[in-house]
Amino acid sequence: MSEATTASQPSQPSQEFEKVLTGSATQVASFDTHDKTPIQRFQHFLHGSPSAVPLIVLVLSVAIFGVILGGKFFSAFTLTLILQQVAIVGIVGAAQTLVILTAGIDLSVGAIMVLSSVVMGQFTFRYGLPPVVAVACGLACGALCGYINGLLVARMKLPPFIVTLGMWQIILASNFLYSANETIRSQDIATNAPLLQFFGNNLKLGSAVFTYGVIAMVLLVAVLWYVLNHTAWGRHVYAVGDDPDAAELAGVNVKRMLVSVYTLSGLICALAGWALIGRIGSVSPTAGQFANIESITAVVIGGLSLFGGRGSILGMIFGALIVGVFSLGLRLIGTDPQWTYLLIGVLIISAVAIDQWIRKVAG
């Protein structure tokens, strides 16, 4: 009987340090399972799908202008015209997206684009090189400019804003000095080097008109979307933008990644320069002066975080299309063009405010 009584009593601590555990809680740990409010659930959804906001804005803007303008806006020709107008911004925006995902910024994208197009034209008409070789030299020029940016940012640890601001001025001045501010006429290009105008050629599907520049933009974005989401290089881009020190500790060569990102960005800008020749028909050293601002606008409205590490290249395309829809829609209505800039400014500030609100989830 005494043995049974002893067995039913709780065991006493056998060690001195175990005595402090005698009165401790015995409940099993559990997570807080209270239901989130609809706003909190929506906030988490946007954090996981950063391109959702620009997609919603794009659909609403198309619907609103469609109601106001009717068939005048909802025609295949008008909708494909929007794609043609944003093709250059979309390609340059893809380059800007890569840089901003690493928590950088590139103010020289427009200047690289124009210089590359000038190199293609001058190498063809001044030096008599075959157009294929001239295009290759222009692409190499863009990649070299991007490589220099990458070296200064990664190796010398200079701020991307300062580096690309300086390179913007250097490249812009070099462009005017090298070209002597001369424009190569569209007629001369069409006669002697039609390859330079390749991306301006049309592909008609009924009343819809697609230029090869639009097709190039779509293919480029599709390839970059796959690379960023399904390859180790793409995951490293996000890791470097989110926390470069943590990425370094995880085995990512941050310096090499940054150089590769800026080099690829420069190459894409050179591709945009080739597409620019097809878009305007001529080689002009004064074309595309605001491409850097337009690309940043598309990226910001597209929901990419300027702090790096978050966003989708699809959002950038949605952002570019939003600007295109507003520009063409307001023009068809007949409003003052300044209203376009006003609304775009509101969209930019709203996009950054929404990004800050969404980031609170991760905070």
Side-chain angles (χ1 to χ4, degrees):
M1 183 67 179
S2 61
E3 293 180 358
T5 303
T6 303
S8 63
Q9 294 177 349
S11 59
Q12 299 297 320
S14 59
Q15 299 292 336
E16 184 68 23
F17 65 85
E18 291 181 344
K19 292 181 180 180
V20 298
L21 301 176
T22 304
S24 60
T26 58
Q27 293 92 341
V28 177
S30 61
F31 292 102
D32 187 5
T33 58
H34 71 278
D35 293 332
K36 295 183 176 66
T37 65
I39 293 180
Q40 289 175 325
R41 287 197 295 268
F42 183 61
Q43 191 178 16
H44 277 269
F45 166 73
L46 295 180
H47 186 266
S49 305
S51 60
V53 173
L55 178 59
I56 294 171
V57 174
L58 176 61
V59 172
L60 289 176
S61 60
V62 170
I64 292 171
F65 283 112
V67 170
I68 296 173
L69 297 168
K72 188 178 180 181
F73 183 82
F74 267 135
S75 66
F77 176 79
T78 301
L79 295 178
T80 52
L81 180 61
I82 294 173
L83 289 174
Q84 294 177 38
Q85 291 178 339
V86 304
I88 304 301
V89 175
I91 296 175
V92 178
Q96 190 72 258
T97 297
L98 295 176
V99 175
I100 287 181
L101 284 176
T102 64
I105 194 168
D106 193 344
L107 299 177
S108 65
V109 288
I112 295 175
M113 174 187 71
V114 178
L115 178 62
S116 299
S117 69
V118 167
V119 167
M120 293 177 191
Q122 293 293 334
F123 275 40
T124 300
F125 290 90
R126 181 185 296 184
Y127 306 127
L129 295 178
V132 174
V133 177
V135 168
C137 291
L139 295 174
C141 175
L144 177 62
C145 293
Y147 178 74
I148 294 172
N149 280 337
L151 282 181
L152 294 174
V153 171
R155 302 293 179 181
M156 298 187 65
K157 303 291 186 180
L158 299 179
F161 181 88
I162 300 301
V163 168
T164 57
L165 178 63
M167 284 295 289
W168 175 29
Q169 298 295 326
I170 293 171
I171 296 172
L172 201 61
S174 301
N175 167 42
F176 287 120
L177 290 172
Y178 177 63
S179 66
N181 205 17
E182 295 178 351
T183 298
I184 301 175
R185 298 185 307 166
S186 176
Q187 298 90 331
D188 296 335
I189 297 176
T191 303
N192 301 304
L195 178 65
L196 297 182
Q197 296 177 336
F198 171 76
F199 287 111
N201 296 327
N202 294 329
L203 178 64
K204 294 185 178 180
L205 297 175
S207 58
V209 181
F210 297 93
T211 63
Y212 290 149
V214 170
I215 297 173
M217 176 192 70
V218 173
L219 291 177
L220 174 66
V221 170
V223 169
L224 289 178
W225 177 86
Y226 178 83
V227 170
L228 288 170
N229 290 278
H230 298 283
T231 67
W233 186 86
R235 289 189 291 271
H236 291 170
V237 170
Y238 279 98
V240 170
D242 187 52
D243 191 335
D245 294 330
E248 190 80 51
L249 292 174
V252 178
N253 190 325
V254 174
K255 292 181 180 179
R256 185 182 300 171
M257 279 299 305
L258 288 174
V259 172
S260 67
V261 165
Y262 280 90
T263 303
L264 180 57
S265 173
L267 179 61
I268 294 173
C269 290
L271 176 64
W274 187 8
L276 178 66
I277 299 175
R279 174 65 181 164
I280 65 177
S282 60
V283 175
S284 173
T286 60
Q289 294 295 319
F290 299 103
N292 53 349
I293 302 300
E294 292 171 344
S295 66
I296 295 173
T297 299
V299 169
V300 172
I301 295 178
L304 279 88
S305 175
L306 292 176
F307 300 97
R310 196 184 70 82
S312 171
I313 194 169
L314 296 180
M316 180 278 301
I317 283 295
F318 296 151
L321 288 173
I322 289 170
V323 175
V325 167
F326 271 86
S327 299
L328 185 59
L330 292 174
R331 195 181 311 153
L332 291 175
I333 292 174
T335 59
D336 191 309
Q338 299 306 320
W339 281 103
T340 302
Y341 298 110
L342 187 150
L343 291 175
I344 290 174
V346 171
L347 286 174
I348 292 173
I349 296 174
S350 300
V352 175
I354 292 173
D355 175 65
Q356 292 288 339
W357 178 67
I358 293 174
R359 284 175 65 87
K360 292 181 180 178
V361 175

